[in-house]
Amino acid sequence: MDGALGAARDTKGFLPALFDFTFTHFVTPKLVRFVYLLATIALGIAWLFWLFVGFARGAGTGLAVLILGPILLIIYLAIIRMTLEFYLSIVRMSEDVHHRLPQA
């Protein structure tokens, strides 16, 4: 079942799907991996930035960022992941409904 959906989903590339003004092809499944990768990299860079700032302010602040930073990073990453999965599930349900409806 997912094979047919996957084949229908990948009929257009990213740019043609992006500029599809009839909205018959969804761009969200193509973007989710890239957005998650960017969010992971951005959170890692932000943590490193705050780590340097923390140690510049003092050893206690730096150690707090070193210990608490990864915990907060994982929490933020989980929230981003759940949000992206929610968006993707909505699009997949919409694709499924679209393919099950009789074509006019």
Side-chain angles (χ1 to χ4, degrees):
M1 182 167 119
D2 190 45
L5 252 168
R9 199 176 319 151
D10 294 331
T11 56
K12 279 194 168 188
F14 172 71
L15 284 177
L18 186 63
F19 293 108
D20 178 21
F21 293 106
T22 61
F23 289 91
T24 56
H25 295 87
F26 297 97
V27 72
T28 304
K30 296 167 182 57
L31 278 178
V32 167
R33 290 180 185 166
F34 181 69
V35 170
Y36 187 65
L37 176 68
L38 284 181
T40 304
I41 291 170
L43 284 173
I45 291 171
W47 176 70
L48 288 175
F49 171 77
W50 285 110
L51 187 64
F52 287 126
V53 169
F55 276 114
R57 288 188 175 185
T61 307
L63 286 175
V65 173
L66 184 66
I67 294 169
L68 296 176
I71 296 168
L72 292 174
L73 187 132
I74 289 173
I75 291 170
Y76 278 117
L77 200 57
I79 291 170
I80 291 168
R81 175 74 185 224
M82 288 184 291
T83 304
L84 290 172
E85 286 178 357
F86 174 74
Y87 292 151
L88 187 59
S89 67
I90 295 295
V91 169
R92 285 186 177 160
M93 283 189 294
S94 178
E95 285 177 335
D96 188 45
V97 167
H98 177 73
H99 290 295
R100 289 176 189 249
L101 289 176
Q103 300 299 321

